[in-house]
Amino acid sequence: MTDWKMSLFSWRTFCCLVLVLHSAHGDVSFSLPEEMKAGSVIGNFAKELGLQPGALSSRKARIDADGGGKRHCDLNAGSGELLVAGRIDREELCGDRASCVVKQEVVLENPLELQRIHLRIQDVNDNAPVFNDHLIGLEIRESASKGARFVIEEAHDADIGQNSVQQYILQNNNHFVVAVSENTIELVLDKELDREQKEEMNLLLTAFDGGSPPKSGTVVIHVTVLDANDNAPVFSRAVYEASLPENSAPGTIVIQVRATDADEGVNGDVTYDFGHVTEDVKKIFSIDRKLGTIAVIGTVDYESSTSFELRVKAKDGLGLSSYAKVIISITDVNDNIPVISIKSLTDPVAEDAPLGTEVGIIHVQDRDSEQNGEVHCSIQQDVPFKLVPSIKNYYSLVTSGQLDRELVSHYNITIGASDQGSPPLSSSKSLGLSVADVNDNPPVFQRESYSAYVSENNKAGSALCRVSARDPDWRQNGTVIYSLLAGAEVNGAPASSYVAVDGDTGEVRAVGSLDYEDLRSFRVHVVARDKGSPPLSSNVSVSVWIRDVNDNSPQILYPAPDGDSSVTELVPKAAQGGSLVSKVIAVDADSGQNARLSYHIVKSTDPGLFTVGLHSGEIRTRRDISESDGMRQNLMVAVKDNGQPPLSATCSVYFLLSDNLSELPPELKDVSSQEREKNSKVTFYLLVALVSVSTFFLTFMVAVLAVSFCRRRKPRLLLDGALAVPGAYLPPNYADVDGTATLRSAYNYDAYLTTGSRTSDFNFVRSYDDDTLPADRTLPKNPVSFGDGLCDSFDPLEVGTNIRSVVDHHSCCTEQ
Ligand SMILES: *[C@@H]1O[C@H](CO)[C@@H](O)[C@H](O)[C@H]1NC(C)=O
Ligand SMILES: *[C@@H]1O[C@H](CO)[C@@H](O)[C@H](O)[C@H]1NC(C)=O
Ligand SMILES: *[C@@H]1O[C@H](CO)[C@@H](O)[C@H](O)[C@H]1NC(C)=O
């Protein structure tokens, strides 16, 4: 290699080395010869990075050609090998640069990462030296002396280094040798010419490169021997330098070269032309043959080429020529807008992505240099995303706020980029990003609680109410199914035996017929659960209120409703008008108006003798009893509730108008004797009891009468305000009913329970009717004074004839 070539290569090598060192930091590089077959293995990328080969496919590794450039290699994600993708021609990629490095990028996800691959393309001797022309014409005077030099244009080899032109060999001849010097190749006259001897000759010049095997190219030098002497043109400078802004309009003059020739006339006419220049250069520049002006004829693009080196030739009329070099430096103009490309995007992004989650990687490229290529990227909108600069020209798109799909399910993000040129250029790019649902909303009931009203005796399966819950999540995460809260109980039974919930519609239905008298209200919880995994749920209470229906007839507790005439009231003949002689006690299991009872006499032996209190059921004499009244009186009393329609029951009350038990009619005695026959032993005791009670009764009556006479008042006798009802008559569920029930509204119960026999249980009923019981004559609630003494030895049920114990306790006590 000649000295000038050395210096040229070392300069280029230096530039390229600087480039390589600059970009090689932290990157993976491979060397490969050009022109490898597609599919050939370049190297193992995974191994270079220290990654498991499987990691590449799981991290979606892929080659990304830089800035829309050509892709030169493929990545086998399975093996981690890098393969040749297509023809790699070093000369096409790098021209005559000493070092040819092609950059490729590999994008890895999770985490997002960018790896640069540097492919160092090694030169292969695939190009032969080529001369610009096939024939070079030289006109040389016969007077030219030995040692005269004639410049020949050199051959060009697209390969570099050792593979470029290394040697010139001139075919053996008598007159010339070839000399390769710093700048040029010259024919040197070795032996003087003689036109008379030989007028013209052809010399074959062969250029060899240094490859193995070497390649060669030839040119024929046609020498014509002339008569007269001449001077070759001389350029004013060996190297011309000019600078040209890119995009200069066609016709722009770049520089003018000048050569002078000392000769006159035709011999001094200098014409200009390009020496060896590439076809590309010929498309961009032209040279004026006469003036030597170099003008722009094509597109000058700084980004394609930052400088041009042209060889220019000046030739005089006789064909003597000389060469000079023109270096045109192109200056950058801000003519490229930044190009934003999305290298990777995680779409959709989960709405629960934590702050700072990387969702994409953005690359921005501006092909201009320096300030003109310095780009700033930003998001102009108010979105919960931001750009974080990462590797040069790369930005991570990360979340900068909490996402909520239920508020915003899709983002249209516009990324703007602008460079620092003046004026600056900018561009923008929109990208759509969806937010994926996460089951983060439990179903919410539309009401805090639900109430359902249903009349009792409803049909099984009738609808009670409908609950509804909303869940704003997406698809199954927002699909609500309803169910009863597991394990809930109503009245000790599973809630599911009362109500059922339709899973899809939320309709709450009664499983069976409901009975107000059994259950007035109950509460169940309905759960709304979405179909997410894990599911979210919430629950709501549903109160079911059962409405009463008049479905229970009044129930007569006293007297026995079956018309048993053995229950006979004993009315003293001395009883005066208005005396309380008996009382019909009835209850109704319904409530409210359905249980509001009224009493009516339907039939009576003597219509004028008794009245019944409309609501109290108290039977009183209407007038004083006279001797003419029959001894036996019957009443049929109807008890009616106030429902719609009303229900009723009737009972008969038998009265015996007598002052003396001995006046008992024979049938009553018969009943006693039948009883006696059944159980003579018991009868004996009963008789004893009966006699003692009768005695007591009579004694008591006398006392009462005496008192009433003493007070000179009309005595209000008998059941004045107090009645004893055997506890066994009361249905068990009446004891705990609340204020709406019949008994409670009409009476207060005081239950006196003595230990021992069931038959001694009494419920004492006190009338609320003001007219029968003045406030100052209420019954003391002291059981001892009454129950202990009386009840143990007295059982109206077993006596057979119900002898009312006629007690005005108050007056009794005051008398004693
Ligand atoms: C996103 O926004 C850009 C600019 O604002 C608009 O041109 C584009 O149509 C929008 N895309 C969608 C899907 O809304
Ligand atoms: C529901 O939410 C879960 C996370 O909770 C998510 O993985 C799933 O994709 C969501 N389903 C739909 C249909 O969005
Ligand atoms: C029902 O909801 C309440 C709050 O509304 C909650 O505290 C309770 O844990 C829920 N019960 C069930 C079994 O989900």
Side-chain angles (χ1 to χ4, degrees), residues 146-370:
K146 186 182 173 191
R149 290 171 174 256
F150 305 93
V151 177
I152 301 291
E153 191 177 359
E154 83 265 26
H156 188 82
D157 190 322
D159 295 322
I160 54 162
Q162 199 62 28
N163 292 332
S164 65
V165 180
Q166 300 293 315
Q167 194 184 8
Y168 290 92
I169 293 175
L170 189 64
Q171 191 190 29
N172 271 342
N173 67 86
N174 296 327
H175 297 281
F176 294 99
V177 291
V178 70
V180 181
S181 71
E182 189 182 333
N183 267 331
T184 43
I185 306 151
E186 290 163 312
L187 280 186
V188 180
L189 193 59
D190 200 33
K191 179 176 172 241
E192 269 112 18
L193 297 166
D194 183 357
R195 201 184 78 86
E196 284 65 39
Q197 202 175 59
K198 198 165 195 179
E199 206 168 298
E200 51 184 19
M201 63 186 86
N202 281 333
L203 307 172
L204 190 66
L205 180 66
T206 308
F208 290 95
D209 63 24
S212 65
K215 297 197 172 199
S216 62
T218 55
V219 67
V220 175
I221 303 169
H222 181 82
V223 178
T224 312
V225 184
L226 296 178
D227 259 346
N229 226 336
D230 208 357
N231 291 302
V234 179
F235 275 105
S236 56
R237 285 192 220 166
V239 178
Y240 293 89
E241 285 181 57
S243 93
L244 175 72
E246 62 171 325
N247 304 331
S248 291
T252 306
I253 306 293
V254 183
I255 196 169
Q256 184 169 24
V257 294
R258 268 194 106 77
T260 48
D261 193 301
D263 296 325
E264 286 177 3
V266 169
N267 293 343
D269 275 353
V270 179
T271 57
Y272 303 94
D273 200 354
F274 287 127
H276 172 82
V277 291
T278 62
E279 288 304 312
D280 291 347
V281 169
K282 282 183 188 158
K283 283 180 193 152
I284 297 172
F285 298 107
S286 71
I287 186 161
D288 188 290
R289 299 186 65 83
K290 289 236 148 51
L291 302 174
T293 50
I294 295 175
V296 177
I297 55 165
T299 311
V300 184
D301 184 10
Y302 176 87
E303 285 72 40
S304 312
S305 192
T306 59
S307 73
F308 293 93
E309 204 179 293
L310 315 176
R311 301 271 293 159
V312 288
K313 178 166 85 175
K315 193 174 153 193
D316 66 17
L318 292 179
L320 290 181
S321 47
S322 61
Y323 295 87
K325 189 156 70 172
V326 178
I327 297 173
I328 303 174
S329 322
I330 309 297
T331 53
D332 187 38
V333 163
N334 192 19
D335 61 342
N336 287 284
I337 59 168
V339 176
I340 302 168
S341 48
I342 294 153
K343 294 278 172 176
S344 162
L345 190 62
T346 314
D347 183 30
V349 56
E351 59 177 324
D352 64 351
L355 230 67
T357 304
E358 190 171 64
V359 297
I361 185 162
I362 311 294
H363 179 243
V364 60
Q365 194 191 30
D366 189 321
R367 298 178 66 221
D368 295 321
S369 326
E370 310 207 325

Side-chain angles (χ1 to χ4, degrees), residues 381 410 412-414 430:
Q381 301 139 303
H410 185 90
N412 188 3
I413 303 171
T414 305
S430 287

Side-chain angles (χ1 to χ4, degrees), residues 583-634:
K583 178 168 178 123
V584 177
I585 298 173
V587 291
D588 193 312
D590 296 320
S591 64
Q593 290 297 323
N594 294 337
R596 192 171 147 84
L597 300 181
S598 57
Y599 301 82
H600 311 271
I601 294 176
V602 217
K603 215 164 77 182
S604 65
T605 318
D606 180 351
L609 191 51
F610 297 105
T611 62
V612 66
L614 183 61
H615 293 296
S616 63
E618 288 172 347
I619 300 173
R620 291 171 187 275
T621 51
R622 196 185 274 259
R623 55 174 170 79
D624 292 355
I625 291 170
S626 66
E627 285 300 328
S628 60
D629 291 327
M631 190 181 181
R632 306 183 53 150
Q633 297 283 342
N634 296 342

Side-chain angles (χ1 to χ4, degrees), residues 658-733:
S658 171
D659 286 337
N660 197 334
L661 268 186
S662 59
E663 289 177 89
L664 279 178
E667 351 39 292
L668 292 179
K669 284 176 181 163
D670 286 351
V671 172
S672 302
S673 55
Q674 281 160 20
E675 288 286 324
R676 200 183 309 126
E677 280 160 23
K678 279 182 195 165
N679 193 337
S680 58
K681 203 175 177 185
V682 170
T683 311
F684 172 73
Y685 293 115
L686 284 177
L687 268 180
V688 172
L690 188 60
V691 168
S692 52
V693 167
S694 302
T695 315
F696 171 78
F697 173 72
L698 287 177
T699 320
F700 182 70
M701 282 307 296
V702 170
V704 166
L705 287 173
V707 168
S708 27
F709 282 121
C710 292
R711 288 190 171 184
R712 298 183 180 277
R713 285 182 46 177
K714 208 175 183 181
R716 307 191 69 173
L717 287 181
L718 307 171
L719 294 165
D720 201 355
L723 249 181
V725 178
Y729 275 93
L730 288 173
N733 56 334

Side-chain angles (χ1 to χ4, degrees), residues 351-352 405 436-440 473-478 531-534:
E351 59 177 324
D352 64 351
R405 192 202 64 84
D437 189 40
V438 163
N439 193 18
D440 56 353
D473 288 324
W474 181 245
R475 297 261 164 91
Q476 66 256 39
N477 289 342
K531 286 186 174 170
S533 80

